[in-house]
Amino acid sequence: MNMGDVVRLKGCTLKGRSLETSCGCSALDALLGGGLPVSTFCVVDELKSRAYSDSLARYFIAEGLYSGHDVLVVDPVGEDKLWRGIPTKIEGQATSNPSEAPPLPSKMSNAHDDLRIAFRYAAKPQMNSSIGDKNRYDLGKPLADSEFTSQRLKYDGVYSYESLYQSIANLCKSERHSKARGPSKNLLRIVIGHLGSPFWADSANFSTFLVRLRPLLRNAHVVVFATAASDTMYEQLSDELFATADLYIQLLAISDEEQKKLSSLDKYHGYLRILRLPRLSSVGTHNPPADLVFTQKRNSFDVSILHLPPALGDEPQNAKAPCSVDF
């Protein structure tokens, strides 16, 4: 990789000796330690539902359009659904300060214990379980079809893995997106919907497509974002998809029965599990928290920590250590 070519890519930042780009969702960027490394194959596996992975895909597309990247969307069910819901960018958004102390409650009990507990935590910073800053894009305000038309690449092939691979190969080997030295370079974002589903014409070539795709991405300025549903795939195919992906995220919807048993899950729609992190530039990867849940709102896709760690440092300084007894 040529360092001069890396720096010239717009919408990307240089971290160490590798390029990173935002996935559009601030919470996911924070969980990944900054963003998606270039040449990454990202898979979002949605279980027990089909309503949430499209939001992350739309964030990914919106970030690419506003950053000046080329975007290709391929979905055998139809690309129009994703293109119609691309969120618009929120301008002039103020960031919140989680370190600010919460205000005192308006009504306080006269009991001595209640007063002692209230004043004990009054000066402590408010614990915020949400991940990342506020989202930069509004899912409730779709982008007009007439905007960024030059960056929206059109897929003209049939919906087969062989045709898709040839289209991706032609783009990755082009002078605009290859890692070969050249005057004008740009990042290519590819969104593949319903990967591994029976909607593809040549489902038998799924394994071959995965094996050929990964080395192709390593030699190009490209990021592939794919949505899948492993619960509808054969176990062997789902295992191959997991082994091939650089980043593997699983969205598991919370059932109504589970919400009835645990009242703390009422405001969440599902669990978010990061099963694999990219290791393109380093063996030691970022370690995000494990207990993650997500909420799909009209304007945003929010990620939070389900179980916060216990607050430490509340013990009195003059606490006596346990006595040691010698026999």
Side-chain angles (χ1 to χ4, degrees):
M1 179 182 297
N2 186 278
M3 295 297 292
D5 292 341
V6 169
V7 177
R8 293 191 185 97
L9 280 182
K10 53 188 175 183
C12 299
T13 57
L14 191 61
K15 184 177 181 180
R17 298 187 63 182
S18 62
L19 274 174
E20 284 188 351
T21 185
S22 173
C23 62
C25 179
S26 60
L28 195 55
D29 285 339
L31 292 172
L32 298 178
L36 288 170
V38 173
S39 303
T40 295
F41 178 35
C42 172
V43 175
V44 177
D45 180 17
E46 184 173 355
L47 307 178
K48 299 182 180 180
S49 65
R50 301 294 179 268
Y52 306 114
S53 59
D54 285 349
S55 297
L56 295 178
R58 291 188 177 102
Y59 276 133
F60 180 79
I61 297 173
E63 180 67 24
L65 294 178
Y66 279 97
S67 299
H69 301 156
D70 298 327
V71 181
L72 174 67
V73 179
V74 183
D75 193 337
V77 179
E79 298 90 358
D80 295 339
K81 180 181 178 181
L82 283 176
W83 282 123
R84 285 196 300 264
I86 304 303
T88 56
K89 192 171 185 178
I90 302 174
E91 302 293 344
Q93 177 178 266
T95 57
S96 60
N97 186 7
S99 62
E100 293 180 357
L104 292 175
S106 57
K107 294 182 180 180
M108 300 179 64
S109 173
N110 293 328
H112 176 71
D113 292 341
D114 293 341
L115 287 172
R116 180 174 58 83
I117 294 175
F119 284 113
R120 181 184 185 185
Y121 292 100
K124 290 186 176 295
Q126 184 178 4
M127 298 299 295
N128 186 8
S129 61
S130 60
I131 303 294
D133 299 328
K134 291 185 178 180
N135 288 312
R136 302 184 299 274
Y137 301 97
D138 188 352
L139 291 173
K141 297 180 180 179
L143 194 66
D145 296 337
S146 58
E147 298 188 56
F148 305 105
T149 55
S150 61
Q151 300 168 224
R152 305 186 185 207
L153 305 182
K154 187 176 181 181
Y155 178 72
D156 296 326
V158 297
Y159 292 106
S160 65
Y161 291 117
E162 180 62 28
S163 178
L164 176 60
Y165 174 80
Q166 293 299 331
S167 298
I168 296 177
N170 293 334
L171 291 172
C172 291
K173 295 178 181 179
S174 64
E175 183 179 356
R176 183 174 176 84
H177 303 118
S178 67
K179 288 187 178 180
R181 184 188 295 271
S184 60
K185 297 293 181 180
N186 194 20
L187 182 66
L188 172 64
R189 291 175 180 248
I190 301 176
V191 177
I192 305 176
H194 297 87
L195 187 64
S197 69
F199 294 106
W200 297 88
D202 55 346
S203 299
N205 294 330
F206 177 71
S207 301
T208 305
F209 171 77
L210 294 178
V211 173
R212 299 167 67 190
L213 177 65
R214 192 168 180 175
L216 183 64
L217 303 182
R218 296 297 188 263
N219 297 318
H221 297 299
V222 58
V223 178
V224 174
F225 186 99
T227 61
S230 62
D231 54 349
T232 62
M233 301 167 57
Y234 290 111
E235 184 177 358
Q236 179 182 353
L237 299 181
S238 62
D239 292 343
E240 292 175 355
L241 181 61
F242 175 77
T244 308
D246 298 304
L247 172 63
Y248 198 93
I249 300 174
Q250 197 171 73
L251 303 179
L252 178 61
I254 299 176
S255 61
D256 296 336
E257 293 77 9
E258 192 172 2
Q259 288 182 340
K260 292 179 181 179
K261 293 180 180 179
L262 299 175
S263 59
S264 59
L265 299 177
D266 289 342
K267 58 181 180 179
Y268 303 117
H269 291 135
Y271 302 100
L272 189 146
R273 300 169 178 171
I274 301 179
L275 304 183
R276 170 166 290 190
L277 286 169
R279 302 182 299 273
L280 300 182
S281 59
S282 174
V283 176
T285 58
H286 175 72
N287 293 324
D291 298 324
L292 300 172
V293 287
F294 67 87
T295 305
Q296 175 68 70
K297 299 180 181 178
R298 180 179 178 273
N299 299 324
S300 63
F301 183 94
D302 300 330
V303 182
S304 306
I305 300 176
L306 179 59
H307 302 294
L308 291 176
L312 302 178
D314 292 337
E315 297 81 2
Q317 297 181 357
N318 57 353
K320 295 182 179 180
C323 298
S324 58
V325 180
D326 296 332
F327 293 97

